[in-house]
Amino acid sequence: MGRLLALAAALIAAALIAWADARTPAPAPAAAAAADFSAERAMADIGAIASVPHPIGSPADRAARDVLVQRMAAMGLDPQVRRGAGVEVSRFDPTRAAGGFVDNIVGVLPGKDRSLPALALMAHYDSVPASPGSADDAAGVAAVLETVRAIQARGVPARDVMVLLTDGEEAGLLGANAFFASDPSAKRIGFLINLEARGSAGRAQMFQTGQDNGQTVALLQRTAVRPQASSLTGFVYQHMPNDTDFTVSRKAGVAGMNYAFIGHQFDYHSPSSTPATTDRGTLQDLGQQVLASAAAVAFSPVLPARAPDVVFGQTPGGLTLAYPPAVGWLVLAVSAALLAWGVMRARRVEAFPWLDLARGAGAALFAVLSAVVLMHFTRRATGAAFGFLAQRFLLAQAPRWEAALVLTGLGMLLLAIAEAARGRRRVILLPLLAALLSCLAGGLDVLALEIAAAAAVVGALAYGRPVSRAGAWAGAMVLLLVLGAVAQALAPPAAFVLAWPLTLGALGAAATALAARRGPASLIVLGILGAVGLAFAAGFAHSSYLSLDLPELLALPLLIALPVIWPLAQPDEGAPPARLVGPILLVAGLALTAAVRLNHPYDARHPLATDVVYQIDQDARSAWRVSVTPGLDPWSAGVLKTGGASLTKFSNWRFTRPMDAASAPYLDLPGPQMSLARGADGDLVLHVVPPPGARTIGLRLTSNTVATVTSVGGAAVHLAIPPGKSAGVNWSAAPDGFDLILRPAGPGRLTVAYAATVEQWPAAAPPLPRRPADVMAFDTSDSTVLTGTRSFSW
């Protein structure tokens, strides 16, 4: 019973520590000291620019620009609007590009020595269509202005502090691209801090640094207040399809830090992202973190020097540890030595069959693989499809869904550990059953079947007879030691996530002779180490849950929990109460999953997203009412069926899948104007003027000969058009048109397919019905989309 109590105490303590680490600070009032950051003061700026959606090129975007210019002028920053063209070529598809004309705002707080490289604080002031963008990124803009105000209150800084508010980030990092490609002020920047968001709440995370970050991390260690930062996030982010404006400055070689918060992701790019739903504590946390580092840089005569990258992360409680990558091998060596000492001590106390090491490693691997299959099944069992819009069903009930995943994964882990004491092979039936149920829930699930088969094979080898606690625990740590060595060799910035919990577990093994020494003292040591290690794992579990809609990512926190939870979770042979903990948690997780599936989560705070457009094919002289969201909700179905129209599927090059649609009356609206002419240098100039009222236009270019797009809107670009294939350009904010320069290899023919979006429902069409309170327009819903083609020869 003592071991069971120690396990319960460790789990509860870990939850409390993780909860405390995830808490945001209380927002400072508007009357706070002038030199401090105040979320309430910053909220005034959010309210001024985030009352309505303001995407690039819209009247609301220009209004937000003017408000910010006036605000910065009142602060004495001498703001200037820098108009330019920005283009971003996709790093995943070099035949696709986004671009547009942007209005960046640049202001400067003068320093004592204006010849020194400047500190830049960057955020973007545009939003996506339909979202006021209170969090993304009005919160970043407001935090930048409040940070500069607080620096002003502390005196004249040693160097200039530049405020860079970019336009067009949401359309493809356009403002940042324009600034760092051609603005002379870009060369003055020596250190940059970017502020972003992917939600409306949660702790601020410093998730990415510039290159050669040794001194940047040292700055974070000296100045940050309860930071959340690690080299793992930067390593992972570089391999994800996500980007922020910091991507552009980092590529330009500018040192710095990238901050963001990612909680309450239902509000990300959503109409629900308003000042009322933006968490004040989160804003305070973001501002405190940024002000601490920004003030240190602003008042220092020297910038953080370039130094080799370091491995860094936080312990529970917020202590930041950092060391050169090579030290990771030393951490693993210390863990191995402690583990070896624990084995030696355990052999003096009780029998230690060496085969138990292999069985323990196998049981540990089986536990994690089985937990992955169970969590994978629960995701499918919710009934929600995958994708940004489909996931909103889960985001609307995020706490319940996160709890379901954690209980399911942890329950399976504890169940598998407890079964090592009995060694019954029937436990391997659980992942197999979960994989079969996953197939029933959503069709053939090859991934689940493969992981379950691997778990079953490993489990059949690991189970079959009881395994000693000392041997099984040591085997689990040997598994982690091997994985840690692989991570250290292949991905040193990420290896600490395995190495630190392993060190805690090895320390417990050495102190308690692999739990062979019984008694309260050993349980207390194991309970304390368990609480710390599980709190560390819980922090990564929460981050993994928030990062992507991939329950399989939770394998990592389960894996790193093994070294500290095993000696508490494996009961004595034949101890029924302790064996029941895992099954109870597993059943609770599955019950919560059922509750998630059966719940209707949409209400006035979390409305259902709808996206309907009136699409007009100007070539075929036909029109369709189209629903872009996955699944067809009653409101959207009613729109499509207007006038008794029948539902069908609609395909178009701008969609990645067939959409629900119904035919609609054709409306003869003006299309874009296009012309092709030969330039003085022999290149071809395609001049495009979007239809009246169109803020964006997408072009698909197909040529029967080799051609390269070398410039769009005056911005240099390299976009190849393979013969017989296509390249794509999406352009924003060009009511008067833009030029696209092509360099062909010889005579040929160019076909230009277009899709121009006018963000209003056609006046001549039957009006849209009023939406209920629990339904909202999303993205470019309620718009008119004009499509067609033009052909040119030369």
Side-chain angles (χ1 to χ4, degrees):
M1 184 61 73
R3 196 169 302 278
L4 177 59
L5 292 176
L7 173 62
L11 288 171
I12 293 171
L16 291 174
I17 294 171
W19 172 78
D21 283 345
R23 289 188 67 196
T24 57
D36 295 338
F37 186 94
S38 164
E40 293 301 333
R41 284 193 290 252
M43 282 303 303
D45 289 318
I46 293 179
I49 64 173
S51 59
V52 296
H54 46 285
I56 174 179
S58 67
D61 188 47
R62 293 189 290 273
R65 175 202 64 194
D66 294 343
V67 168
L68 291 170
V69 168
Q70 293 176 12
R71 174 80 167 90
M72 291 167 63
M75 295 174 67
L77 304 181
D78 188 24
Q80 298 178 17
V81 176
R82 308 281 177 84
R83 185 164 177 78
V87 177
E88 172 79 2
V89 177
S90 169
R91 56 191 174 110
F92 298 100
D93 184 354
T95 66
R96 297 289 181 266
F101 294 119
V102 295
D103 286 343
N104 291 328
I105 309 172
V106 179
V108 176
L109 174 65
K112 293 179 180 178
D113 187 347
R114 306 206 64 186
S115 67
L116 292 176
L119 163 68
L121 301 178
M122 180 168 66
H124 69 88
Y125 70 88
D126 64 304
S127 75
V128 296
S131 175
S134 178
D136 181 17
D137 193 25
V141 170
V144 164
L145 296 179
E146 173 65 4
T147 296
V148 172
R149 188 211 54 75
I151 290 175
Q152 280 181 308
R154 299 182 183 193
V156 180
R159 65 187 67 250
D160 285 358
V161 178
M162 183 184 301
V163 173
L164 172 57
L165 304 182
T166 63
D167 189 15
E169 191 272 353
E170 300 292 5
L173 316 182
L174 307 185
N177 272 293
F179 181 82
F180 285 98
S182 59
D183 197 303
S185 297
K187 300 187 183 301
R188 296 200 55 231
I189 299 175
F191 196 86
L192 182 145
I193 299 177
N194 184 58
L195 287 73
E196 258 291 357
R198 208 182 83 186
S200 62
R203 289 292 312 279
Q205 299 185 32
M206 198 288 289
F207 67 98
Q208 189 181 27
T209 68
Q211 301 170 15
D212 301 321
N213 67 16
Q215 288 301 308
T216 298
V217 175
L219 169 70
L220 181 79
Q221 288 180 291
R222 291 195 310 270
T223 63
V225 183
R226 293 178 59 229
Q228 288 203 337
S230 79
S231 51
L232 172 67
T233 56
F235 174 79
V236 172
Y237 195 77
Q238 291 180 53
H239 297 84
M240 291 174 62
N242 306 73
D243 284 306
T244 68
D245 280 343
F246 191 80
T247 303
V248 183
S249 64
R250 190 177 192 274
K251 186 177 179 180
V254 180
M257 302 176 177
N258 200 6
Y259 282 86
F261 51 88
I262 61 173
H264 289 190
Q265 289 187 30
F266 183 89
D267 297 325
Y268 178 56
H269 286 181
S270 169
S272 60
S273 181
T274 66
T277 61
T278 301
D279 187 81
R280 267 70 167 171
T282 294
L283 183 59
Q284 184 68 35
D285 189 39
L286 178 67
Q288 286 182 178
Q289 302 292 337
V290 171
L291 175 59
S293 296
V297 173
F299 287 97
S300 173
V302 294
L303 291 173
R306 290 187 176 275
D309 288 341
V310 295
V311 176
F312 63 99
Q314 272 79 46
T315 68
L319 176 64
T320 302
L321 302 180
Y323 49 78
V327 173
W329 290 113
L330 178 61
V331 176
L332 291 174
V334 170
S335 299
L338 289 171
L339 177 57
W341 186 24
V343 171
M344 292 173 56
R345 293 191 66 202
R347 295 186 66 201
R348 295 175 187 156
V349 177
E350 62 184 25
F352 188 90
W354 289 105
L355 186 58
D356 282 2
L357 279 173
R359 290 185 177 273
L365 183 57
F366 168 81
V368 174
L369 290 176
S370 298
V372 168
V373 176
L374 266 293
M375 292 185 295
H376 179 89
F377 158 66
T378 59
R379 175 61 180 86
R380 287 194 132 203
T382 63
F386 288 86
F388 176 66
L389 288 174
Q391 186 195 6
R392 298 183 64 77
F393 174 80
L394 301 176
L395 296 178
Q397 45 186 331
R400 183 186 289 113
W401 170 229
E402 184 176 10
L405 279 176
V406 170
L407 289 174
T408 300
L410 182 59
M412 184 64 230
L413 191 78
L414 294 176
L415 187 156
I417 293 174
E419 279 300 316
R422 294 194 294 180
R424 298 189 304 176
R425 283 199 175 101
R426 70 180 66 175
V427 70
I428 70 175
L429 296 176
L430 278 175
L432 294 173
L433 176 62
L436 292 175
L437 291 174
S438 186
C439 292
L440 291 175
L444 181 63
D445 190 345
V446 176
L447 178 62
L449 291 171
E450 290 177 344
I451 299 176
V457 171
V458 172
L461 296 173
Y463 294 91
R465 69 169 182 79
V467 183
S468 67
R469 182 186 296 117
W473 182 19
M477 285 192 284
V478 168
L479 172 67
L480 210 65
L481 184 62
V482 171
L483 295 176
V486 172
Q488 180 64 32
L490 300 179
F496 79 94
V497 179
L498 300 173
W500 293 5
L502 176 61
T503 303
L504 284 178
L507 182 62
T512 66
L514 280 167
R517 294 195 177 277
R518 313 293 177 96
S522 291
L523 289 178
I524 290 173
V525 169
L526 294 175
I528 293 173
L529 293 175
V532 175
L534 289 173
F536 183 78
F540 278 99
H542 185 59
S543 296
S544 299
Y545 165 79
L546 291 175
S547 297
L548 288 171
D549 183 21
L550 285 175
E552 296 80 7
L553 290 178
L554 293 175
L556 176 61
L558 292 176
L559 186 67
I560 63 180
L562 287 173
V564 294
I565 202 173
W566 198 289
L568 301 175
Q570 182 174 340
D572 295 324
E573 188 176 352
R579 287 204 311 269
L580 295 177
V581 176
I584 290 172
L585 294 181
L586 181 56
V587 170
L590 295 176
L592 270 180
T593 301
V596 168
R597 181 182 181 111
L598 297 174
N599 183 46
H600 178 78
Y602 301 114
D603 54 26
R605 172 61 183 90
H606 300 97
L608 172 70
T610 58
D611 189 348
V612 294
V613 298
Y614 202 102
Q615 182 146 331
I616 300 174
D617 185 337
Q618 296 186 310
D619 290 343
R621 298 184 66 81
S622 61
W624 304 80
R625 286 183 292 268
V626 182
S627 175
V628 180
T629 52
L632 191 59
D633 62 277
W635 184 87
S636 298
V639 171
L640 300 190
K641 294 178 181 178
T642 299
S646 300
L647 296 178
T648 185
K649 291 293 184 179
F650 177 77
S651 297
N652 184 263
W653 61 269
R654 59 187 293 262
F655 299 130
T656 58
R657 57 178 175 82
M659 299 292 176
D660 293 303
S663 62
Y666 177 75
L667 303 176
D668 194 7
L669 301 179
Q673 300 175 31
M674 297 188 196
S675 61
L676 187 71
R678 180 77 68 174
D681 56 1
D683 289 345
L684 299 173
V685 181
L686 177 66
H687 184 65
V688 181
V689 179
R695 188 180 58 81
T696 64
I697 185 168
L699 305 177
R700 187 179 67 168
L701 311 170
T702 307
S703 173
N704 65 356
T705 188
V706 176
T708 303
V709 179
T710 61
S711 172
V712 188
V717 68
H718 181 86
L719 201 65
I721 308 177
K725 297 185 179 179
S726 64
V729 174
N730 290 317
W731 198 262
S732 302
D736 299 324
F738 61 97
D739 289 338
L740 189 148
I741 311 299
L742 298 101
R743 183 166 297 159
R749 181 178 179 83
L750 178 72
T751 300
V752 183
Y754 63 85
T757 302
V758 179
E759 288 165 272
Q760 62 183 29
W761 196 253
L768 291 170
R770 184 175 180 179
R771 288 178 170 87
D774 61 348
V775 175
M776 65 181 173
F778 203 85
D779 197 38
T780 56
S781 184
D782 307 2
S783 294
T784 305
V785 180
L786 305 173
T787 64
T789 57
R790 299 283 193 276
S791 295
F792 306 93
S793 298
W794 61 91

